[in-house]
């Protein structure tokens, strides 16, 4: 369990670095996601062949994976767009709401009982967001995009937690990267017509773009995405998403060292982010205590039934 938690923190640290790579690459958000998913899909295909893993699955399974991959594509586009139009810190603070969306959506998608304390911690996140909104109104569009990205991220994480019980994580990742790439291609006509000044795609790389893109595709996508799916065999989707709330901490620290004063925010922002991240620290203790109490309560109930 400790090994899995350490591995999860490494994955989250890599994700914190993702926003910096996205900002350093000169291409717009949609083009970044296109290259990222294309390179990742090709790399995974090579890896599957080398490892001798099964690639061809039932058409229904492939359809589901590609559909979820499209959600992944939309999630990354909104994520990078948020980092571009605001600041990395704002983008990552918005992404910390993933746990709130997970707490609300997981019981609906999986048809399970809503845990009251997960909902309470979700509202703690809302309080943190309210604090940020009060002091960072000029970045509201970036924060709204980050919130949309967080919602999409919660959905595909919950669904992937179910897939891992049946299919190998590397195969899931391969088809979802195809789905994410396909989404960007389908989105191209709408994107060029309504969201670009020239009406054309900007696919030309310059300087260190290609090197950064390889890091983004191989380390931050193939490894981190595969590892995050694989680890959900042993850790719940909510726990994964709650730990992912540490992404702003890692990302903001990295951004401060790389960009210095350019990433400096108001005191209200840091207060709001601290409120959001407090849920990360509280949840493991709260979950352990309440689960233990519920098991003891169930045991007493069974004992009383047998006695009767």
């Amino acid at each position: 369990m400790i090994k899995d938690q350490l591995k999860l923190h490494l994955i989250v640290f890599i994700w914190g670095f993702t926003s910096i790579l996205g900002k350093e690459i000169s291409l717009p958000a949609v083009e970044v996601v296109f290259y990222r998913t294309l390179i990742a899909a090709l790399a995974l295909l090579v890896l599957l062949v080398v490892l001798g893993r099964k690639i061809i699955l039932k058409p229904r399974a492939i359809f589901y994976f590609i559909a979820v991959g499209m959600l992944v594509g939309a999630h990354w586009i909104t994520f990078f767009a948020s980092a571009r139009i605001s600041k990395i810190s704002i983008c990552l603070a918005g992404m910390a709401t993933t746990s709130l969306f997970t707490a609300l959506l997981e019981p609906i998608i999986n048809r399970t009982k809503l845990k009251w304390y997960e909902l309470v911690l979700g509202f703690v996140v809302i309080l943190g967001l309210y604090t940020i909104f009060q002091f960072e109104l000029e970045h509201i569009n970036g924060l709204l995009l980050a919130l949309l990205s967080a919602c999409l991220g919660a959905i595909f994480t919950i669904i992937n937690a179910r897939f891992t019980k049946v299919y190998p994580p590397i195969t899931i990742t391969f088809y979802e990267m195809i789905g994410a790439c396909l989404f960007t291609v389908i989105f191209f006509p709408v994107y060029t017509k309504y969201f670009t000044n020239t009406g054309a795609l900007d696919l030309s790389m310059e300087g260190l773009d290609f090197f950064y893109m390889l890091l983004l595709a191989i380390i931050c996508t193939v490894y981190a995405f595969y590892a995050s799916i694989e680890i959900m065999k042993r850790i719940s989707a909510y726990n994964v998403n709650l730990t992912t709330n540490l992404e702003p901490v890692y990302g903001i620290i990295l951004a401060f060292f790389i960009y210095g004063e350019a990433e400096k925010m108001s005191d209200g922002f840091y207060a709001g982010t601290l409120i959001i991240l407090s849920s990360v620290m509280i949840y493991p203790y709260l979950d352990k205590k309440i689960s233990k109490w519920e098991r003891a309560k169930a045991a007493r109930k069974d004992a009383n039934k047998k006695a009767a």
Side-chain angles (χ1 to χ4, degrees):
M1 187 66 176
I2 294 175
K3 183 180 179 181
D4 286 333
Q5 288 292 344
L6 290 174
K7 185 177 181 180
L8 180 57
H9 279 275
L10 173 62
I11 294 166
V12 173
F13 179 83
I14 292 172
W15 282 337
F17 191 63
T18 298
S19 57
I20 293 172
L21 285 175
K23 198 174 185 73
E24 285 297 311
I25 296 170
S26 64
L27 299 176
V30 176
E31 285 88 331
V32 168
V33 174
F34 169 71
Y35 275 127
R36 176 186 189 178
T37 53
L38 178 63
I39 295 171
L42 292 173
L44 283 164
L45 177 60
V46 172
L47 191 59
L48 284 165
V49 171
V50 170
L51 295 175
R53 300 291 180 86
K54 184 179 179 181
I55 299 175
I56 305 301
L57 303 175
K58 293 179 180 179
R60 186 177 180 180
I62 293 174
F63 172 80
Y64 283 146
F65 294 154
I66 289 177
V68 174
M70 289 184 172
L71 290 177
V72 176
H75 159 73
W76 280 337
I77 288 173
T78 50
F79 172 79
F80 285 124
S82 172
R84 287 291 179 87
I85 69 173
S86 58
K87 291 186 177 183
I88 291 173
S89 302
I90 288 288
C91 171
L92 294 175
M95 286 301 299
T97 62
T98 305
S99 61
L100 169 61
F101 289 113
T102 305
L104 295 173
L105 296 173
E106 189 168 26
I108 297 172
I109 294 173
N110 291 338
R111 298 179 181 179
T112 56
K113 183 181 177 182
L114 178 66
K115 295 179 181 178
W116 64 267
Y117 56 92
E118 291 184 355
L119 195 58
V120 169
L121 291 178
F123 283 108
V124 171
V125 171
I126 291 178
L127 177 62
L129 282 173
Y130 174 74
T131 305
I132 293 172
F133 268 120
Q134 282 189 308
F135 294 92
E136 301 294 341
L137 285 175
E138 69 271 24
H139 297 297
I140 189 168
N141 289 334
L143 191 54
L144 289 174
L145 277 172
L147 292 175
L148 175 57
S149 182
C151 181
L152 293 168
I155 294 171
F156 75 71
T157 301
I158 294 167
I159 297 173
N160 277 340
R162 297 170 65 181
F163 285 159
T164 55
K165 294 177 174 61
V166 182
Y167 297 95
I170 191 171
T171 308
I172 295 172
T173 307
F174 168 64
Y175 281 109
E176 289 187 357
M177 289 304 100
I178 292 176
C181 187
L182 182 62
F183 175 82
T184 59
V185 173
I186 294 172
F187 185 61
F188 277 161
V190 177
Y191 167 67
T192 53
K193 185 174 182 178
Y194 297 104
F195 298 100
T196 63
N197 295 324
T198 62
L201 296 171
D202 181 9
L203 294 171
S204 58
M205 297 190 199
E206 55 187 48
L208 293 172
D209 282 350
F210 185 71
F211 173 71
Y212 291 146
M213 193 69 74
L214 285 178
L215 285 179
L216 186 62
I218 304 301
I219 304 300
C220 300
T221 306
V222 173
Y223 170 73
F225 198 82
Y226 161 76
S228 69
I229 294 176
E230 191 274 336
I231 211 168
M232 281 189 288
K233 289 180 177 180
R234 299 173 297 279
I235 298 178
S236 70
Y238 185 83
N239 196 353
V240 170
N241 277 331
L242 198 66
T243 307
T244 302
N245 287 349
L246 285 172
E247 185 179 337
V249 175
Y250 299 139
I252 290 169
I253 292 172
L254 284 168
F256 177 78
F257 280 108
I258 295 172
Y259 300 111
E261 290 295 316
E263 280 293 321
K264 189 174 181 180
M265 308 296 291
S266 67
D267 291 340
F269 167 81
Y270 293 112
T273 302
L274 184 62
I275 292 171
I276 292 172
L277 295 174
S278 66
S279 63
V280 179
M281 310 303 171
I282 295 171
Y283 175 74
Y285 174 80
L286 199 59
D287 185 57
K288 182 179 180 181
K289 288 292 182 182
I290 293 175
S291 296
K292 184 178 180 180
W293 176 79
E294 287 178 344
R295 286 194 299 269
K297 183 181 176 182
R300 287 195 301 269
K301 189 176 179 180
D302 288 341
N304 289 336
K305 281 183 179 180
K306 289 177 181 180

